[in-house]
Tab-separated table of all heavy atoms in Angstrom:
chain	number	residue	atom	x	y	z
A	37	MET	N	-72.836	29.078	-58.554
A	37	MET	CA	-73.837	30.033	-59.074
A	37	MET	C	-73.680	30.223	-60.579
A	37	MET	O	-74.266	31.138	-61.146
A	37	MET	CB	-73.679	31.405	-58.386
A	37	MET	CG	-73.564	31.365	-56.903
A	37	MET	SD	-75.160	31.140	-56.125
A	37	MET	CE	-74.713	30.941	-54.409
A	38	LYS	N	-72.840	29.396	-61.224
A	38	LYS	CA	-72.541	29.621	-62.658
A	38	LYS	C	-73.809	29.626	-63.508
A	38	LYS	O	-74.027	30.527	-64.302
A	38	LYS	CB	-71.578	28.533	-63.164
A	38	LYS	CG	-70.145	28.802	-62.727
A	38	LYS	CD	-69.182	28.689	-63.906
A	38	LYS	CE	-67.894	29.424	-63.610
A	38	LYS	NZ	-66.826	28.554	-63.126
A	39	ASP	N	-74.682	28.604	-63.324
A	39	ASP	CA	-75.892	28.530	-64.148
A	39	ASP	C	-76.836	29.686	-63.838
A	39	ASP	O	-77.450	30.257	-64.729
A	39	ASP	CB	-76.627	27.200	-63.902
A	39	ASP	CG	-75.830	26.047	-64.466
A	39	ASP	OD1	-74.947	26.322	-65.308
A	39	ASP	OD2	-76.086	24.892	-64.058
A	40	LEU	N	-76.914	30.020	-62.544
A	40	LEU	CA	-77.830	31.100	-62.141
A	40	LEU	C	-77.427	32.429	-62.773
A	40	LEU	O	-78.277	33.201	-63.224
A	40	LEU	CB	-77.826	31.229	-60.614
A	40	LEU	CG	-78.736	32.316	-60.065
A	40	LEU	CD1	-80.195	31.978	-60.309
A	40	LEU	CD2	-78.502	32.510	-58.579
A	41	GLU	N	-76.119	32.673	-62.848
A	41	GLU	CA	-75.652	33.943	-63.419
A	41	GLU	C	-76.075	34.097	-64.885
A	41	GLU	O	-76.268	35.197	-65.376
A	41	GLU	CB	-74.144	34.055	-63.281
A	41	GLU	CG	-73.746	34.540	-61.901
A	41	GLU	CD	-72.282	34.880	-61.856
A	41	GLU	OE1	-71.471	33.947	-61.897
A	41	GLU	OE2	-71.969	36.071	-61.805
A	42	LYS	N	-76.227	32.934	-65.566
A	42	LYS	CA	-76.631	32.985	-66.988
A	42	LYS	C	-78.151	33.174	-67.126
A	42	LYS	O	-78.650	33.522	-68.182
A	42	LYS	CB	-76.225	31.686	-67.676
A	42	LYS	CG	-74.725	31.587	-67.896
A	42	LYS	CD	-74.404	30.279	-68.647
A	42	LYS	CE	-73.094	29.689	-68.154
A	42	LYS	NZ	-73.124	28.236	-68.025
A	43	ASP	N	-78.887	32.892	-66.059
A	43	ASP	CA	-80.354	32.937	-66.102
A	43	ASP	C	-80.802	34.282	-65.500
A	43	ASP	O	-81.048	34.395	-64.300
A	43	ASP	CB	-80.857	31.741	-65.274
A	43	ASP	CG	-82.352	31.707	-65.139
A	43	ASP	OD1	-83.020	32.680	-65.537
A	43	ASP	OD2	-82.858	30.701	-64.622
A	44	SER	N	-80.922	35.301	-66.372
A	44	SER	CA	-81.067	36.657	-65.833
A	44	SER	C	-82.369	36.858	-65.054
A	44	SER	O	-82.392	37.606	-64.075
A	44	SER	CB	-80.950	37.686	-66.949
A	44	SER	OG	-81.923	37.414	-67.922
A	45	ILE	N	-83.438	36.148	-65.416
A	45	ILE	CA	-84.702	36.351	-64.705
A	45	ILE	C	-84.605	35.796	-63.277
A	45	ILE	O	-84.959	36.456	-62.291
A	45	ILE	CB	-85.869	35.684	-65.467
A	45	ILE	CG1	-86.045	36.413	-66.803
A	45	ILE	CG2	-87.172	35.701	-64.649
A	45	ILE	CD1	-87.101	35.858	-67.701
A	46	HIS	N	-84.064	34.587	-63.204
A	46	HIS	CA	-83.896	33.945	-61.909
A	46	HIS	C	-82.912	34.754	-61.030
A	46	HIS	O	-83.151	34.996	-59.855
A	46	HIS	CB	-83.365	32.526	-62.152
A	46	HIS	CG	-83.645	31.584	-61.032
A	46	HIS	ND1	-83.183	30.292	-61.023
A	46	HIS	CD2	-84.311	31.741	-59.887
A	46	HIS	CE1	-83.568	29.715	-59.921
A	46	HIS	NE2	-84.258	30.558	-59.208
A	47	ALA	N	-81.815	35.197	-61.649
A	47	ALA	CA	-80.814	35.978	-60.902
A	47	ALA	C	-81.434	37.271	-60.392
A	47	ALA	O	-81.171	37.695	-59.260
A	47	ALA	CB	-79.607	36.272	-61.790
A	48	ALA	N	-82.295	37.889	-61.216
A	48	ALA	CA	-82.922	39.164	-60.820
A	48	ALA	C	-83.774	38.974	-59.562
A	48	ALA	O	-83.855	39.864	-58.706
A	48	ALA	CB	-83.775	39.706	-61.955
A	49	ALA	N	-84.401	37.798	-59.441
A	49	ALA	CA	-85.215	37.532	-58.249
A	49	ALA	C	-84.336	37.520	-56.997
A	49	ALA	O	-84.721	38.033	-55.933
A	49	ALA	CB	-85.945	36.203	-58.397
A	50	TYR	N	-83.130	36.956	-57.128
A	50	TYR	CA	-82.205	36.942	-55.975
A	50	TYR	C	-81.705	38.362	-55.662
A	50	TYR	O	-81.610	38.739	-54.495
A	50	TYR	CB	-81.034	36.001	-56.237
A	50	TYR	CG	-81.395	34.556	-55.956
A	50	TYR	CD1	-81.798	33.705	-56.978
A	50	TYR	CD2	-81.369	34.042	-54.660
A	50	TYR	CE1	-82.155	32.392	-56.729
A	50	TYR	CE2	-81.708	32.730	-54.397
A	50	TYR	CZ	-82.106	31.910	-55.434
A	50	TYR	OH	-82.462	30.610	-55.176
A	51	TYR	N	-81.378	39.128	-56.714
A	51	TYR	CA	-80.933	40.506	-56.476
A	51	TYR	C	-82.021	41.292	-55.737
A	51	TYR	O	-81.745	42.026	-54.799
A	51	TYR	CB	-80.597	41.210	-57.798
A	51	TYR	CG	-79.168	40.970	-58.238
A	51	TYR	CD1	-78.888	40.056	-59.247
A	51	TYR	CD2	-78.116	41.646	-57.633
A	51	TYR	CE1	-77.572	39.816	-59.645
A	51	TYR	CE2	-76.798	41.402	-58.022
A	51	TYR	CZ	-76.543	40.502	-59.030
A	51	TYR	OH	-75.250	40.271	-59.396
A	52	ALA	N	-83.277	41.082	-56.193
A	52	ALA	CA	-84.397	41.820	-55.570
A	52	ALA	C	-84.564	41.415	-54.111
A	52	ALA	O	-84.804	42.254	-53.240
A	52	ALA	CB	-85.674	41.569	-56.353
Side-chain angles (χ1 to χ4, degrees):
M37 312 282 174
K38 282 229 159 97
D39 290 342
L40 180 67
E41 278 190 289
K42 288 182 216 140
D43 176 352
S44 57
I45 294 178
H46 203 184
Y50 279 96
Y51 274 103

